[in-house]
Amino acid sequence: MVTNKTFTMLKPDSVENGNIGAILEKITSSGFRIVAMKLTQLTTADAKAFYAVHNERPFFDDLVEYMTRGPIVAAILEKDNAVQDFRTLIGATNPSEAAEGTIRNMFAESISQNAVHGSDSDINAAIEAAFHFSEREMF
Ligand code: CMP
């Protein structure tokens, strides 16, 4: 079943580089409605849990270090076909392969520091949204 919500994080590099406003403008002008949003910081335990699927990968420790080193913006976004459309908007994981005009093409530095997260399925969007937000924080 295709749902209309996805989950995103503007990662620490986006916050450090002053790109929150520009990235949110790109997201909302592409037709996504912000349902929930917060500036927050992941603990090491949070990052290890959020990225548990990657815990055997060689980049896991660097990923946890990167994602905990400063604040992030976490948000739930709503749009028809949200998961797929948002992955199209952010572009490939590796910014050198991300299409012109995508968020990672415009704002990401490298495959490991790639500016934004977007859920890869409807089920993961729901799990990731619930990881960060309670029902009363969703509008
Ligand atoms: P994302 O797809 O949002 O979630 C998993 C993250 O792991 C990914 O973004 C990158 O930040 C990181 N990642 C994925 N593949 C690699 C890789 N080959 N080398 C380093 N980091 C990676």
Side-chain angles (χ1 to χ4, degrees), residues 11 51 54 59 63 66 93 104 111-114 116-118:
K11 299 181 179 183
Y51 287 110
H54 295 303
F59 57 79
L63 175 60
Y66 160 52
T93 303
R104 285 175 172 151
I111 191 169
S112 54
Q113 305 205 12
N114 61 359
V116 284
H117 169 82

Side-chain angles (χ1 to χ4, degrees), residues 49-92:
F50 189 90
Y51 287 110
V53 68
H54 295 303
N55 67 6
E56 301 291 325
R57 307 290 284 274
F59 57 79
F60 183 69
D61 289 348
D62 287 344
L63 175 60
V64 170
E65 168 104 22
Y66 160 52
M67 288 302 300
T68 57
R69 77 178 185 212
I72 61 162
V73 174
I76 303 171
L77 306 172
E78 184 178 68
K79 182 184 181 296
D80 287 347
N81 199 33
V83 167
Q84 283 312 314
D85 284 2
F86 192 68
R87 287 178 74 81
T88 300
L89 179 64
I90 65 179

Side-chain angles (χ1 to χ4, degrees), residues 49 55 82 92 103 108 133:
N55 67 6
I103 291 174
F133 294 99

